[in-house]
Amino acid sequence: MSAIKKFFQKKKTEAKFKLAGPGHRLNDETVRRPQPTSSSYVPASRVPPSAEAQQAAAAALARMELKNAPTAAFNTSLNAIRAQVRRELEAEKQGAAKGVSSPVKKDTQDPSLLTVQGVYFRCPLVGPEVLSKEKWNERISEFLYEQLEIGSEDEMGLTAALIIQSCNRTLGRERVATCIDTMCKYLENIIAHPDEEKYRKIRCSNRVYRERVAPVQGSDILLRAAGFQVCRMQAETQGNAEEAVAMEDFLMFYKNSKEDIEKLSVLVDALRAAEPIQLELDRNTQVLLSSQAAAPLSLPPDFFTLSPEELKREMELRAAAVEQSSMLRTKAMREREEQRERKLYRYTLIRIRFPDGVLLQGTFSVYERFSNVVEFVQEHLLIEDRSFLLILPSGGKISSDILNIEKKSSAEKDDKTGDNKLDEDDKTLLDLHLVPNAVLLFFWEKEAVEEGEEFLKPDVMILVKPV
């Protein structure tokens, strides 16, 4: 295992221990907690929590209160939700019998009841919070710079490699890759030619260093961890040697031991192996009644690859083009147009409608596979081990058995013809046209739906928002 992977694994273990709380010996009869004395204890100053942190704390407090509340209170809320579900389902049946669609209850006062407020993520390595991507970028930067203060000197270079990968998202992957290649070249030259002085110094005014390395956050920390020191010295010039030469800043590598040279090889490996700290998309799970789900859906800007202004302009141009050439476009042209439109989205809102009229809602990346949707549904079902079908808007049916298919090796999945075309079950949500939002219908695969049957767990049903 490389040094950067060991370092990353260590940080994951530390994160788990932090969540587990303080430890104690198993044979201790009592656990004594030292109390701070009034003479030595000084309260630490605290920074006011952000709006996202307050929202996450409020949600956690609500869950704790719900968990500690009496069973009677929980059952009262759950029974009220069940009664509302039955009323709405009965109203739908009556409307269908009369040939009239169910009325949609529009709530212009509180749109949060009808739509998501954004796209949120988790990062178990750093903390348990659920935050937006922008807030997580700030939090990850704070976390990595904290590691520089509390970590050992040997870990400085490894932490710097993670900073380079994780804290320069605004520069783009290409510029970060160029910086890494340049720094690896600096270090590899010293490893290959340890006795040549020209490879041991980097002129800070050099164009390559100024443009490729200096702007990248964390590059100076890694070079310092490698053994480079800033010093002022006379720069070499071409032409008349008697001319006055200004002093310039250089990064000099003064170390000569075998261990120091070997450390450079470790840092080269760390630079090439390090990856950005990854975020996990939070599903932002919600449960909706049919009246809530029938309202027009308004997606936040985070769902789109373009800004709201660019998206609006793009839609206007496309609408005008379609109106002018709707009678002249071929099937291939229409398919290309649909593909371009689908690529406007980063995320999609998937809703699963159950036979009792309740809808389960979650946020997904458009590049996630359909098996992720199946897993999402399965983990919220009252009966998790029963096979079910999900009906796509196109009419296609996909079985929950794809989770078993996913576990098979690629050799077992190949058919006799050797066709490598993806099966429908393996397609992404983008390829299945399930963007920017879609409603899937749920049915048991082998058993019939019973009258008054419930599908979701009680602790999931309690997420239904009041009408």
Side-chain angles (χ1 to χ4, degrees):
M1 185 182 293
S2 66
I4 191 69
K5 289 183 179 179
K6 290 181 180 178
F7 175 68
F8 211 81
Q9 189 63 38
K10 175 185 175 183
K11 294 306 174 185
K12 286 184 177 180
T13 304
E14 291 176 354
K16 290 181 180 178
F17 273 107
K18 283 183 180 180
L19 295 176
H24 59 85
R25 294 181 180 273
L26 295 177
N27 58 1
D28 286 351
E29 296 182 0
T30 59
V31 180
R32 297 182 180 180
R33 300 179 184 271
Q35 299 293 332
T37 60
S38 58
S39 58
S40 61
Y41 175 68
V42 178
S45 59
R46 298 187 61 185
V47 179
S50 63
E52 285 81 0
Q54 292 178 5
Q55 183 179 1
L61 183 60
R63 288 193 297 268
M64 291 178 62
E65 291 177 350
L66 180 61
K67 183 177 179 180
N68 297 328
T71 304
F74 177 86
N75 289 338
T76 299
S77 300
L78 186 58
N79 289 335
I81 292 171
R82 288 169 175 166
Q84 180 65 29
V85 169
R86 287 194 294 269
R87 286 195 297 269
E88 293 205 2
L89 186 60
E90 186 63 28
E92 284 189 5
K93 290 180 179 179
Q94 293 177 0
K98 297 177 181 179
V100 180
S101 60
S102 301
V104 176
K105 181 175 180 179
K106 296 183 179 180
D107 190 345
T108 57
Q109 299 298 322
D110 189 4
S112 64
L113 296 177
L114 306 173
T115 188
V116 291
Q117 299 302 300
V119 178
Y120 301 98
F121 299 84
R122 298 177 182 272
C123 186
L125 178 66
V126 179
E129 301 92 347
V130 177
L131 304 172
S132 65
K133 183 175 289 187
E134 292 74 18
K135 291 296 181 182
W136 266 125
N137 289 340
E138 297 175 4
R139 181 72 183 89
I140 288 172
S141 179
E142 294 172 0
F143 169 78
L144 290 175
Y145 278 96
E146 287 173 0
Q147 302 308 306
L148 292 175
E149 299 177 2
I150 65 178
S152 65
E153 184 177 349
D154 293 336
E155 294 178 343
M156 180 187 296
L158 304 179
T159 304
L162 291 177
I163 291 175
I164 292 171
Q165 287 284 2
S166 303
C167 301
N168 293 284
R169 301 179 192 273
T170 56
L171 295 180
R173 300 288 300 165
E174 186 175 347
R175 289 193 65 182
V176 172
T178 301
C179 170
I180 291 174
D181 290 339
T182 304
M183 287 197 295
C184 286
K185 190 64 176 177
Y186 289 154
L187 304 183
E188 288 169 344
N189 282 337
I190 297 177
I191 295 170
H193 312 280
D195 298 326
E196 294 193 30
E197 183 181 353
K198 66 178 181 178
Y199 294 122
R200 288 174 165 264
K201 60 183 178 181
I202 303 172
R203 189 175 183 175
C204 295
S205 62
N206 177 268
R207 182 179 62 83
V208 172
Y209 177 79
R210 284 189 296 105
E211 295 179 0
R212 299 182 182 180
V213 179
V216 177
Q217 194 176 163
S219 60
D220 57 331
I221 302 173
L222 189 134
L223 292 174
R224 189 164 68 248
F228 284 88
Q229 299 178 18
V230 179
C231 65
R232 291 186 65 81
M233 59 185 298
Q234 193 175 31
E236 296 180 1
T237 59
Q238 297 179 352
N240 189 355
E242 297 180 357
E243 293 181 1
V245 179
M247 302 295 288
E248 291 190 29
D249 288 338
F250 281 79
L251 289 171
M252 291 293 301
F253 184 81
Y254 290 109
K255 298 184 178 182
N256 296 296
S257 68
K258 180 180 178 182
E259 291 76 12
D260 294 329
I261 302 300
E262 290 177 348
K263 183 180 179 181
L264 298 184
S265 298
V266 173
L267 291 179
V268 170
D269 292 340
L271 276 170
R272 298 205 183 278
E275 296 179 354
I277 293 179
Q278 298 297 323
L279 300 179
E280 299 176 2
L281 179 63
D282 182 71
R283 296 299 182 206
N284 193 13
T285 304
Q286 296 183 28
V287 179
L288 306 173
L289 301 177
S290 57
S291 61
Q292 297 169 332
L297 185 66
S298 177
L299 295 176
D302 294 344
F303 272 67
F304 307 101
T305 57
L306 303 177
S307 67
E309 294 77 14
E310 292 172 331
L311 183 66
K312 183 178 179 181
R313 178 60 179 165
E314 177 76 10
M315 290 300 187
E316 290 175 350
L317 292 175
R318 290 187 180 185
V322 169
E323 185 176 354
Q324 293 176 3
S325 60
S326 58
M327 301 301 294
L328 303 176
R329 293 189 306 162
T330 64
K331 180 180 178 181
M333 293 172 62
R334 290 194 298 270
E335 289 177 349
R336 285 197 298 270
E337 187 71 20
E338 291 175 0
Q339 186 69 15
R340 287 177 53 197
E341 185 173 349
R342 292 201 307 274
K343 289 185 177 180
L344 293 174
Y345 304 99
R346 291 193 183 112
Y347 305 99
T348 180
L349 198 67
I350 300 296
R351 288 173 171 175
I352 298 89
R353 182 182 177 91
F354 293 87
D356 60 358
V358 173
L359 290 95
L360 178 67
Q361 175 179 289
T363 302
F364 295 81
S365 166
V366 297
Y367 299 107
E368 288 190 70
R369 299 199 175 277
F370 194 81
S371 56
N372 294 110
V373 177
V374 174
E375 287 180 344
F376 172 71
V377 175
Q378 191 174 62
E379 68 185 15
H380 290 91
L381 287 178
L382 190 61
I383 305 175
E384 295 186 17
D385 57 353
R386 183 185 294 183
S387 298
F388 58 87
L389 293 173
L390 292 178
I391 314 299
L392 306 183
S394 62
K397 300 179 181 179
I398 298 182
S399 169
S400 59
D401 291 338
I402 64 171
L403 295 181
N404 299 325
I405 297 175
E406 288 291 325
K407 297 177 183 178
K408 295 182 180 180
S409 65
S410 57
E412 292 175 334
K413 291 173 66 177
D414 288 340
D415 56 19
K416 295 182 180 180
T417 61
D419 186 9
N420 292 324
K421 183 180 180 180
L422 290 175
D423 296 330
E424 183 180 30
D425 299 345
D426 291 330
K427 286 185 177 179
T428 65
L429 303 181
L430 181 64
D431 292 332
L432 290 170
H433 300 202
L434 302 180
V435 293
N437 63 285
V439 178
L440 313 178
L441 302 181
F442 175 98
F443 292 99
W444 294 125
E445 185 169 10
K446 299 178 181 178
E447 296 84 359
V449 176
E450 299 178 1
E451 184 71 23
E453 183 177 0
E454 296 181 358
F455 300 88
L456 298 177
K457 297 176 180 177
D459 58 337
V460 178
M461 283 297 298
I462 207 68
L463 297 175
V464 172
K465 296 180 180 180
V467 180

